[in-house]
Amino acid sequence: MRIYIGADHNGFTLKNNLIAYLRNNGYEVDDVGGDTLDPKDDYPQVAARVTMAMLASDDRDPRGILICGSGQGICIAANRFKGIRASVCNEAVEVRAGRNDDDTNVLCLPARMVKTGEAERLTDMWLRTAFAGAARYKRRIRELDELG
């Protein structure tokens, strides 16, 4: 599993901490930005870089992690791309439901609400929670892909 990760200026420090953590735990991680702390950057471009890298990947199960201040804006931007199922998670119940029921492939973290240790815990849970694969869940994902 290859993980593509990006953040705007609000999530820059958390992104760098999470990259180090993931790499230390054996994950392949591609940092797609921002490369420097730039208060003028915009989350839509970061979300586009991560999602486009995922969609172009030859990895069987590419995943994305996006970080901005609230997690909301970057999540909205990511969900504009067909085949992307992003969700904002700052609690374990959201992580489990997102993976188990909706097969989320992008985890959006709110840097203003989640500190490094909690982000690591939520990310671990997200990466380890399997999609249940129930027929109704698969049907709903197909319906999402048909929306536009």
PDB file of all heavy atoms in Angstrom, residues 51-90:
ATOM      1  N   THR A  51      -4.953  13.415  -4.696  1.00  0.00           N
ATOM      2  CA  THR A  51      -5.933  12.552  -5.357  1.00  0.00           C
ATOM      3  C   THR A  51      -5.487  12.168  -6.761  1.00  0.00           C
ATOM      4  O   THR A  51      -5.673  11.017  -7.164  1.00  0.00           O
ATOM      5  CB  THR A  51      -7.325  13.207  -5.393  1.00  0.00           C
ATOM      6  OG1 THR A  51      -7.240  14.495  -6.014  1.00  0.00           O
ATOM      7  CG2 THR A  51      -7.885  13.364  -3.999  1.00  0.00           C
ATOM      8  N   MET A  52      -4.888  13.088  -7.491  1.00  0.00           N
ATOM      9  CA  MET A  52      -4.416  12.756  -8.834  1.00  0.00           C
ATOM     10  C   MET A  52      -3.277  11.744  -8.777  1.00  0.00           C
ATOM     11  O   MET A  52      -3.207  10.844  -9.627  1.00  0.00           O
ATOM     12  CB  MET A  52      -4.035  14.021  -9.588  1.00  0.00           C
ATOM     13  CG  MET A  52      -5.295  14.815  -9.948  1.00  0.00           C
ATOM     14  SD  MET A  52      -5.087  16.496 -10.571  1.00  0.00           S
ATOM     15  CE  MET A  52      -3.802  16.381 -11.729  1.00  0.00           C
ATOM     16  N   ALA A  53      -2.417  11.848  -7.775  1.00  0.00           N
ATOM     17  CA  ALA A  53      -1.347  10.851  -7.612  1.00  0.00           C
ATOM     18  C   ALA A  53      -1.946   9.485  -7.301  1.00  0.00           C
ATOM     19  O   ALA A  53      -1.500   8.463  -7.838  1.00  0.00           O
ATOM     20  CB  ALA A  53      -0.375  11.288  -6.511  1.00  0.00           C
ATOM     21  N   MET A  54      -2.959   9.460  -6.459  1.00  0.00           N
ATOM     22  CA  MET A  54      -3.620   8.191  -6.143  1.00  0.00           C
ATOM     23  C   MET A  54      -4.262   7.577  -7.379  1.00  0.00           C
ATOM     24  O   MET A  54      -4.113   6.382  -7.630  1.00  0.00           O
ATOM     25  CB  MET A  54      -4.707   8.406  -5.080  1.00  0.00           C
ATOM     26  CG  MET A  54      -4.203   8.707  -3.700  1.00  0.00           C
ATOM     27  SD  MET A  54      -5.583   9.118  -2.596  1.00  0.00           S
ATOM     28  CE  MET A  54      -6.546   7.602  -2.669  1.00  0.00           C
ATOM     29  N   LEU A  55      -4.985   8.389  -8.123  1.00  0.00           N
ATOM     30  CA  LEU A  55      -5.699   7.887  -9.296  1.00  0.00           C
ATOM     31  C   LEU A  55      -4.758   7.423 -10.402  1.00  0.00           C
ATOM     32  O   LEU A  55      -5.100   6.539 -11.177  1.00  0.00           O
ATOM     33  CB  LEU A  55      -6.672   8.954  -9.815  1.00  0.00           C
ATOM     34  CG  LEU A  55      -7.821   9.288  -8.854  1.00  0.00           C
ATOM     35  CD1 LEU A  55      -8.593  10.513  -9.341  1.00  0.00           C
ATOM     36  CD2 LEU A  55      -8.752   8.096  -8.661  1.00  0.00           C
ATOM     37  N   ALA A  56      -3.551   7.987 -10.454  1.00  0.00           N
ATOM     38  CA  ALA A  56      -2.559   7.596 -11.457  1.00  0.00           C
ATOM     39  C   ALA A  56      -1.679   6.443 -10.983  1.00  0.00           C
ATOM     40  O   ALA A  56      -0.947   5.850 -11.777  1.00  0.00           O
ATOM     41  CB  ALA A  56      -1.674   8.788 -11.817  1.00  0.00           C
ATOM     42  N   SER A  57      -1.767   6.103  -9.727  1.00  0.00           N
ATOM     43  CA  SER A  57      -0.897   5.085  -9.135  1.00  0.00           C
ATOM     44  C   SER A  57      -1.194   3.696  -9.692  1.00  0.00           C
ATOM     45  O   SER A  57      -2.351   3.350  -9.961  1.00  0.00           O
ATOM     46  CB  SER A  57      -1.093   5.071  -7.618  1.00  0.00           C
ATOM     47  OG  SER A  57      -0.318   4.048  -7.032  1.00  0.00           O
ATOM     48  N   ASP A  58      -0.142   2.900  -9.828  1.00  0.00           N
ATOM     49  CA  ASP A  58      -0.335   1.507 -10.207  1.00  0.00           C
ATOM     50  C   ASP A  58      -0.417   0.600  -8.973  1.00  0.00           C
ATOM     51  O   ASP A  58      -0.517  -0.605  -9.092  1.00  0.00           O
ATOM     52  CB  ASP A  58       0.757   1.037 -11.169  1.00  0.00           C
ATOM     53  CG  ASP A  58       2.155   1.169 -10.601  1.00  0.00           C
ATOM     54  OD1 ASP A  58       2.311   1.607  -9.437  1.00  0.00           O
ATOM     55  OD2 ASP A  58       3.110   0.837 -11.320  1.00  0.00           O
ATOM     56  N   ASP A  59      -0.397   1.210  -7.797  1.00  0.00           N
ATOM     57  CA  ASP A  59      -0.552   0.472  -6.549  1.00  0.00           C
ATOM     58  C   ASP A  59      -1.968  -0.100  -6.492  1.00  0.00           C
ATOM     59  O   ASP A  59      -2.930   0.542  -6.920  1.00  0.00           O
ATOM     60  CB  ASP A  59      -0.308   1.413  -5.354  1.00  0.00           C
ATOM     61  CG  ASP A  59      -0.211   0.665  -4.048  1.00  0.00           C
ATOM     62  OD1 ASP A  59      -1.272   0.365  -3.456  1.00  0.00           O
ATOM     63  OD2 ASP A  59       0.910   0.378  -3.629  1.00  0.00           O
ATOM     64  N   ARG A  60      -2.097  -1.291  -5.974  1.00  0.00           N
ATOM     65  CA  ARG A  60      -3.395  -1.964  -5.885  1.00  0.00           C
ATOM     66  C   ARG A  60      -4.350  -1.247  -4.933  1.00  0.00           C
ATOM     67  O   ARG A  60      -5.565  -1.225  -5.154  1.00  0.00           O
ATOM     68  CB  ARG A  60      -3.191  -3.408  -5.425  1.00  0.00           C
ATOM     69  CG  ARG A  60      -4.431  -4.263  -5.434  1.00  0.00           C
ATOM     70  CD  ARG A  60      -4.159  -5.666  -4.939  1.00  0.00           C
ATOM     71  NE  ARG A  60      -3.631  -5.716  -3.585  1.00  0.00           N
ATOM     72  CZ  ARG A  60      -4.348  -5.569  -2.472  1.00  0.00           C
ATOM     73  NH1 ARG A  60      -5.639  -5.343  -2.548  1.00  0.00           N
ATOM     74  NH2 ARG A  60      -3.788  -5.638  -1.283  1.00  0.00           N
ATOM     75  N   ASP A  61      -3.826  -0.641  -3.888  1.00  0.00           N
ATOM     76  CA  ASP A  61      -4.663  -0.004  -2.869  1.00  0.00           C
ATOM     77  C   ASP A  61      -4.028   1.315  -2.420  1.00  0.00           C
ATOM     78  O   ASP A  61      -3.606   1.443  -1.278  1.00  0.00           O
ATOM     79  CB  ASP A  61      -4.834  -0.952  -1.679  1.00  0.00           C
ATOM     80  CG  ASP A  61      -5.787  -0.418  -0.616  1.00  0.00           C
ATOM     81  OD1 ASP A  61      -6.648   0.423  -0.940  1.00  0.00           O
ATOM     82  OD2 ASP A  61      -5.666  -0.847   0.541  1.00  0.00           O
ATOM     83  N   PRO A  62      -3.956   2.305  -3.317  1.00  0.00           N
ATOM     84  CA  PRO A  62      -3.350   3.570  -2.907  1.00  0.00           C
ATOM     85  C   PRO A  62      -4.250   4.297  -1.909  1.00  0.00           C
ATOM     86  O   PRO A  62      -5.472   4.223  -2.001  1.00  0.00           O
ATOM     87  CB  PRO A  62      -3.237   4.358  -4.208  1.00  0.00           C
ATOM     88  CG  PRO A  62      -4.354   3.840  -5.046  1.00  0.00           C
ATOM     89  CD  PRO A  62      -4.472   2.370  -4.680  1.00  0.00           C
ATOM     90  N   ARG A  63      -3.619   4.944  -0.957  1.00  0.00           N
ATOM     91  CA  ARG A  63      -4.359   5.698   0.053  1.00  0.00           C
ATOM     92  C   ARG A  63      -3.820   7.112   0.103  1.00  0.00           C
ATOM     93  O   ARG A  63      -2.671   7.371  -0.255  1.00  0.00           O
ATOM     94  CB  ARG A  63      -4.194   5.073   1.431  1.00  0.00           C
ATOM     95  CG  ARG A  63      -4.628   3.646   1.554  1.00  0.00           C
ATOM     96  CD  ARG A  63      -6.141   3.488   1.748  1.00  0.00           C
ATOM     97  NE  ARG A  63      -6.467   2.094   1.944  1.00  0.00           N
ATOM     98  CZ  ARG A  63      -6.570   1.515   3.139  1.00  0.00           C
ATOM     99  NH1 ARG A  63      -6.386   2.212   4.235  1.00  0.00           N
ATOM    100  NH2 ARG A  63      -6.853   0.232   3.229  1.00  0.00           N
ATOM    101  N   GLY A  64      -4.654   8.017   0.584  1.00  0.00           N
ATOM    102  CA  GLY A  64      -4.254   9.399   0.739  1.00  0.00           C
ATOM    103  C   GLY A  64      -4.544   9.900   2.134  1.00  0.00           C
ATOM    104  O   GLY A  64      -5.513   9.461   2.767  1.00  0.00           O
ATOM    105  N   ILE A  65      -3.695  10.797   2.585  1.00  0.00           N
ATOM    106  CA  ILE A  65      -3.930  11.491   3.843  1.00  0.00           C
ATOM    107  C   ILE A  65      -3.795  12.975   3.544  1.00  0.00           C
ATOM    108  O   ILE A  65      -2.790  13.410   2.968  1.00  0.00           O
ATOM    109  CB  ILE A  65      -2.932  11.060   4.940  1.00  0.00           C
ATOM    110  CG1 ILE A  65      -3.083   9.561   5.232  1.00  0.00           C
ATOM    111  CG2 ILE A  65      -3.143  11.895   6.207  1.00  0.00           C
ATOM    112  CD1 ILE A  65      -2.039   9.005   6.196  1.00  0.00           C
ATOM    113  N   LEU A  66      -4.814  13.722   3.925  1.00  0.00           N
ATOM    114  CA  LEU A  66      -4.832  15.161   3.710  1.00  0.00           C
ATOM    115  C   LEU A  66      -5.048  15.876   5.034  1.00  0.00           C
ATOM    116  O   LEU A  66      -5.847  15.423   5.857  1.00  0.00           O
ATOM    117  CB  LEU A  66      -5.951  15.530   2.736  1.00  0.00           C
ATOM    118  CG  LEU A  66      -5.754  15.056   1.305  1.00  0.00           C
ATOM    119  CD1 LEU A  66      -7.047  15.208   0.510  1.00  0.00           C
ATOM    120  CD2 LEU A  66      -4.628  15.846   0.654  1.00  0.00           C
ATOM    121  N   ILE A  67      -4.364  16.993   5.205  1.00  0.00           N
ATOM    122  CA  ILE A  67      -4.444  17.715   6.474  1.00  0.00           C
ATOM    123  C   ILE A  67      -4.583  19.211   6.200  1.00  0.00           C
ATOM    124  O   ILE A  67      -3.800  19.781   5.435  1.00  0.00           O
ATOM    125  CB  ILE A  67      -3.188  17.468   7.332  1.00  0.00           C
ATOM    126  CG1 ILE A  67      -2.894  15.969   7.454  1.00  0.00           C
ATOM    127  CG2 ILE A  67      -3.347  18.099   8.709  1.00  0.00           C
ATOM    128  CD1 ILE A  67      -1.522  15.634   8.008  1.00  0.00           C
ATOM    129  N   CYS A  68      -5.589  19.802   6.823  1.00  0.00           N
ATOM    130  CA  CYS A  68      -5.730  21.258   6.839  1.00  0.00           C
ATOM    131  C   CYS A  68      -6.232  21.638   8.236  1.00  0.00           C
ATOM    132  O   CYS A  68      -6.327  20.783   9.107  1.00  0.00           O
ATOM    133  CB  CYS A  68      -6.647  21.764   5.723  1.00  0.00           C
ATOM    134  SG  CYS A  68      -8.408  21.437   5.921  1.00  0.00           S
ATOM    135  N   GLY A  69      -6.550  22.884   8.435  1.00  0.00           N
ATOM    136  CA  GLY A  69      -6.945  23.332   9.770  1.00  0.00           C
ATOM    137  C   GLY A  69      -8.129  22.577  10.340  1.00  0.00           C
ATOM    138  O   GLY A  69      -8.059  22.010  11.429  1.00  0.00           O
ATOM    139  N   SER A  70      -9.233  22.545   9.602  1.00  0.00           N
ATOM    140  CA  SER A  70     -10.446  21.875  10.085  1.00  0.00           C
ATOM    141  C   SER A  70     -10.617  20.483   9.499  1.00  0.00           C
ATOM    142  O   SER A  70     -11.445  19.709   9.974  1.00  0.00           O
ATOM    143  CB  SER A  70     -11.679  22.708   9.729  1.00  0.00           C
ATOM    144  OG  SER A  70     -11.890  22.686   8.326  1.00  0.00           O
ATOM    145  N   GLY A  71      -9.892  20.185   8.423  1.00  0.00           N
ATOM    146  CA  GLY A  71     -10.079  18.935   7.695  1.00  0.00           C
ATOM    147  C   GLY A  71     -11.212  19.013   6.692  1.00  0.00           C
ATOM    148  O   GLY A  71     -11.284  18.217   5.756  1.00  0.00           O
ATOM    149  N   GLN A  72     -12.099  19.971   6.857  1.00  0.00           N
ATOM    150  CA  GLN A  72     -13.309  20.042   6.033  1.00  0.00           C
ATOM    151  C   GLN A  72     -13.023  20.495   4.602  1.00  0.00           C
ATOM    152  O   GLN A  72     -13.456  19.852   3.646  1.00  0.00           O
ATOM    153  CB  GLN A  72     -14.331  20.995   6.674  1.00  0.00           C
ATOM    154  CG  GLN A  72     -14.814  20.542   8.027  1.00  0.00           C
ATOM    155  CD  GLN A  72     -15.565  19.236   8.013  1.00  0.00           C
ATOM    156  OE1 GLN A  72     -16.091  18.798   6.995  1.00  0.00           O
ATOM    157  NE2 GLN A  72     -15.611  18.584   9.158  1.00  0.00           N
ATOM    158  N   GLY A  73     -12.315  21.601   4.446  1.00  0.00           N
ATOM    159  CA  GLY A  73     -12.074  22.132   3.105  1.00  0.00           C
ATOM    160  C   GLY A  73     -11.321  21.168   2.224  1.00  0.00           C
ATOM    161  O   GLY A  73     -11.684  20.931   1.060  1.00  0.00           O
ATOM    162  N   ILE A  74     -10.281  20.586   2.772  1.00  0.00           N
ATOM    163  CA  ILE A  74      -9.452  19.663   1.990  1.00  0.00           C
ATOM    164  C   ILE A  74     -10.237  18.390   1.652  1.00  0.00           C
ATOM    165  O   ILE A  74     -10.052  17.795   0.598  1.00  0.00           O
ATOM    166  CB  ILE A  74      -8.124  19.389   2.725  1.00  0.00           C
ATOM    167  CG1 ILE A  74      -7.013  19.118   1.729  1.00  0.00           C
ATOM    168  CG2 ILE A  74      -8.248  18.333   3.804  1.00  0.00           C
ATOM    169  CD1 ILE A  74      -5.622  19.349   2.261  1.00  0.00           C
ATOM    170  N   CYS A  75     -11.170  18.013   2.534  1.00  0.00           N
ATOM    171  CA  CYS A  75     -12.033  16.851   2.287  1.00  0.00           C
ATOM    172  C   CYS A  75     -13.019  17.148   1.158  1.00  0.00           C
ATOM    173  O   CYS A  75     -13.226  16.317   0.270  1.00  0.00           O
ATOM    174  CB  CYS A  75     -12.769  16.482   3.571  1.00  0.00           C
ATOM    175  SG  CYS A  75     -13.773  14.995   3.439  1.00  0.00           S
ATOM    176  N   ILE A  76     -13.605  18.319   1.186  1.00  0.00           N
ATOM    177  CA  ILE A  76     -14.533  18.718   0.126  1.00  0.00           C
ATOM    178  C   ILE A  76     -13.812  18.702  -1.217  1.00  0.00           C
ATOM    179  O   ILE A  76     -14.334  18.185  -2.212  1.00  0.00           O
ATOM    180  CB  ILE A  76     -15.132  20.105   0.416  1.00  0.00           C
ATOM    181  CG1 ILE A  76     -16.072  20.031   1.617  1.00  0.00           C
ATOM    182  CG2 ILE A  76     -15.846  20.674  -0.806  1.00  0.00           C
ATOM    183  CD1 ILE A  76     -16.469  21.386   2.183  1.00  0.00           C
ATOM    184  N   ALA A  77     -12.611  19.258  -1.247  1.00  0.00           N
ATOM    185  CA  ALA A  77     -11.838  19.299  -2.491  1.00  0.00           C
ATOM    186  C   ALA A  77     -11.532  17.890  -2.993  1.00  0.00           C
ATOM    187  O   ALA A  77     -11.692  17.596  -4.181  1.00  0.00           O
ATOM    188  CB  ALA A  77     -10.549  20.092  -2.282  1.00  0.00           C
ATOM    189  N   ALA A  78     -11.116  17.002  -2.117  1.00  0.00           N
ATOM    190  CA  ALA A  78     -10.763  15.634  -2.523  1.00  0.00           C
ATOM    191  C   ALA A  78     -11.961  14.894  -3.085  1.00  0.00           C
ATOM    192  O   ALA A  78     -11.845  14.154  -4.067  1.00  0.00           O
ATOM    193  CB  ALA A  78     -10.175  14.871  -1.339  1.00  0.00           C
ATOM    194  N   ASN A  79     -13.110  15.092  -2.493  1.00  0.00           N
ATOM    195  CA  ASN A  79     -14.309  14.371  -2.923  1.00  0.00           C
ATOM    196  C   ASN A  79     -14.857  14.845  -4.261  1.00  0.00           C
ATOM    197  O   ASN A  79     -15.804  14.252  -4.783  1.00  0.00           O
ATOM    198  CB  ASN A  79     -15.389  14.431  -1.843  1.00  0.00           C
ATOM    199  CG  ASN A  79     -15.157  13.400  -0.769  1.00  0.00           C
ATOM    200  OD1 ASN A  79     -14.884  12.238  -1.056  1.00  0.00           O
ATOM    201  ND2 ASN A  79     -15.231  13.819   0.481  1.00  0.00           N
ATOM    202  N   ARG A  80     -14.244  15.839  -4.863  1.00  0.00           N
ATOM    203  CA  ARG A  80     -14.640  16.285  -6.203  1.00  0.00           C
ATOM    204  C   ARG A  80     -14.159  15.308  -7.279  1.00  0.00           C
ATOM    205  O   ARG A  80     -14.592  15.364  -8.414  1.00  0.00           O
ATOM    206  CB  ARG A  80     -14.061  17.670  -6.519  1.00  0.00           C
ATOM    207  CG  ARG A  80     -14.504  18.767  -5.597  1.00  0.00           C
ATOM    208  CD  ARG A  80     -15.968  19.092  -5.832  1.00  0.00           C
ATOM    209  NE  ARG A  80     -16.439  20.044  -4.868  1.00  0.00           N
ATOM    210  CZ  ARG A  80     -17.036  21.171  -5.177  1.00  0.00           C
ATOM    211  NH1 ARG A  80     -17.229  21.497  -6.427  1.00  0.00           N
ATOM    212  NH2 ARG A  80     -17.462  21.971  -4.229  1.00  0.00           N
ATOM    213  N   PHE A  81     -13.246  14.409  -6.910  1.00  0.00           N
ATOM    214  CA  PHE A  81     -12.636  13.493  -7.870  1.00  0.00           C
ATOM    215  C   PHE A  81     -13.327  12.134  -7.805  1.00  0.00           C
ATOM    216  O   PHE A  81     -13.451  11.537  -6.737  1.00  0.00           O
ATOM    217  CB  PHE A  81     -11.138  13.336  -7.566  1.00  0.00           C
ATOM    218  CG  PHE A  81     -10.355  14.585  -7.814  1.00  0.00           C
ATOM    219  CD1 PHE A  81     -10.302  15.587  -6.856  1.00  0.00           C
ATOM    220  CD2 PHE A  81      -9.685  14.775  -9.015  1.00  0.00           C
ATOM    221  CE1 PHE A  81      -9.595  16.756  -7.086  1.00  0.00           C
ATOM    222  CE2 PHE A  81      -8.978  15.937  -9.251  1.00  0.00           C
ATOM    223  CZ  PHE A  81      -8.931  16.936  -8.283  1.00  0.00           C
ATOM    224  N   LYS A  82     -13.754  11.656  -8.973  1.00  0.00           N
ATOM    225  CA  LYS A  82     -14.426  10.354  -9.064  1.00  0.00           C
ATOM    226  C   LYS A  82     -13.483   9.254  -8.563  1.00  0.00           C
ATOM    227  O   LYS A  82     -12.310   9.218  -8.919  1.00  0.00           O
ATOM    228  CB  LYS A  82     -14.823  10.069 -10.507  1.00  0.00           C
ATOM    229  CG  LYS A  82     -15.628   8.812 -10.681  1.00  0.00           C
ATOM    230  CD  LYS A  82     -16.091   8.638 -12.109  1.00  0.00           C
ATOM    231  CE  LYS A  82     -16.941   7.405 -12.248  1.00  0.00           C
ATOM    232  NZ  LYS A  82     -17.487   7.288 -13.591  1.00  0.00           N
ATOM    233  N   GLY A  83     -14.014   8.378  -7.736  1.00  0.00           N
ATOM    234  CA  GLY A  83     -13.227   7.278  -7.187  1.00  0.00           C
ATOM    235  C   GLY A  83     -12.577   7.601  -5.857  1.00  0.00           C
ATOM    236  O   GLY A  83     -11.987   6.736  -5.232  1.00  0.00           O
ATOM    237  N   ILE A  84     -12.711   8.834  -5.428  1.00  0.00           N
ATOM    238  CA  ILE A  84     -12.142   9.239  -4.145  1.00  0.00           C
ATOM    239  C   ILE A  84     -13.263   9.280  -3.118  1.00  0.00           C
ATOM    240  O   ILE A  84     -14.332   9.830  -3.357  1.00  0.00           O
ATOM    241  CB  ILE A  84     -11.448  10.620  -4.247  1.00  0.00           C
ATOM    242  CG1 ILE A  84     -10.277  10.544  -5.214  1.00  0.00           C
ATOM    243  CG2 ILE A  84     -11.027  11.112  -2.865  1.00  0.00           C
ATOM    244  CD1 ILE A  84      -9.157   9.593  -4.820  1.00  0.00           C
ATOM    245  N   ARG A  85     -12.999   8.670  -1.979  1.00  0.00           N
ATOM    246  CA  ARG A  85     -13.932   8.663  -0.864  1.00  0.00           C
ATOM    247  C   ARG A  85     -13.180   9.145   0.369  1.00  0.00           C
ATOM    248  O   ARG A  85     -12.536   8.370   1.070  1.00  0.00           O
ATOM    249  CB  ARG A  85     -14.523   7.263  -0.660  1.00  0.00           C
ATOM    250  CG  ARG A  85     -15.401   6.823  -1.824  1.00  0.00           C
ATOM    251  CD  ARG A  85     -15.835   5.388  -1.735  1.00  0.00           C
ATOM    252  NE  ARG A  85     -14.729   4.444  -1.549  1.00  0.00           N
ATOM    253  CZ  ARG A  85     -13.912   4.024  -2.520  1.00  0.00           C
ATOM    254  NH1 ARG A  85     -14.050   4.469  -3.758  1.00  0.00           N
ATOM    255  NH2 ARG A  85     -12.942   3.160  -2.257  1.00  0.00           N
ATOM    256  N   ALA A  86     -13.262  10.451   0.585  1.00  0.00           N
ATOM    257  CA  ALA A  86     -12.536  11.085   1.680  1.00  0.00           C
ATOM    258  C   ALA A  86     -13.484  11.381   2.832  1.00  0.00           C
ATOM    259  O   ALA A  86     -14.654  11.707   2.619  1.00  0.00           O
ATOM    260  CB  ALA A  86     -11.896  12.386   1.188  1.00  0.00           C
ATOM    261  N   SER A  87     -12.954  11.262   4.049  1.00  0.00           N
ATOM    262  CA  SER A  87     -13.752  11.627   5.217  1.00  0.00           C
ATOM    263  C   SER A  87     -12.863  12.276   6.266  1.00  0.00           C
ATOM    264  O   SER A  87     -11.699  11.921   6.409  1.00  0.00           O
ATOM    265  CB  SER A  87     -14.467  10.410   5.811  1.00  0.00           C
ATOM    266  OG  SER A  87     -13.535   9.474   6.300  1.00  0.00           O
ATOM    267  N   VAL A  88     -13.458  13.244   6.955  1.00  0.00           N
ATOM    268  CA  VAL A  88     -12.779  13.911   8.062  1.00  0.00           C
ATOM    269  C   VAL A  88     -12.957  13.042   9.294  1.00  0.00           C
ATOM    270  O   VAL A  88     -14.080  12.644   9.620  1.00  0.00           O
ATOM    271  CB  VAL A  88     -13.368  15.306   8.336  1.00  0.00           C
ATOM    272  CG1 VAL A  88     -12.646  15.972   9.509  1.00  0.00           C
ATOM    273  CG2 VAL A  88     -13.302  16.176   7.099  1.00  0.00           C
ATOM    274  N   CYS A  89     -11.862  12.755   9.963  1.00  0.00           N
ATOM    275  CA  CYS A  89     -11.936  11.920  11.167  1.00  0.00           C
ATOM    276  C   CYS A  89     -11.118  12.543  12.282  1.00  0.00           C
ATOM    277  O   CYS A  89      -9.931  12.829  12.100  1.00  0.00           O
ATOM    278  CB  CYS A  89     -11.402  10.519  10.876  1.00  0.00           C
ATOM    279  SG  CYS A  89     -12.346   9.617   9.640  1.00  0.00           S
ATOM    280  N   ASN A  90     -11.753  12.742  13.403  1.00  0.00           N
ATOM    281  CA  ASN A  90     -11.000  13.142  14.591  1.00  0.00           C
ATOM    282  C   ASN A  90     -11.361  12.275  15.793  1.00  0.00           C
ATOM    283  O   ASN A  90     -10.953  12.551  16.901  1.00  0.00           O
ATOM    284  CB  ASN A  90     -11.144  14.633  14.900  1.00  0.00           C
ATOM    285  CG  ASN A  90     -12.556  15.070  15.121  1.00  0.00           C
ATOM    286  OD1 ASN A  90     -13.440  14.244  15.321  1.00  0.00           O
ATOM    287  ND2 ASN A  90     -12.787  16.357  15.074  1.00  0.00           N
TER     288      ASN A  90
END
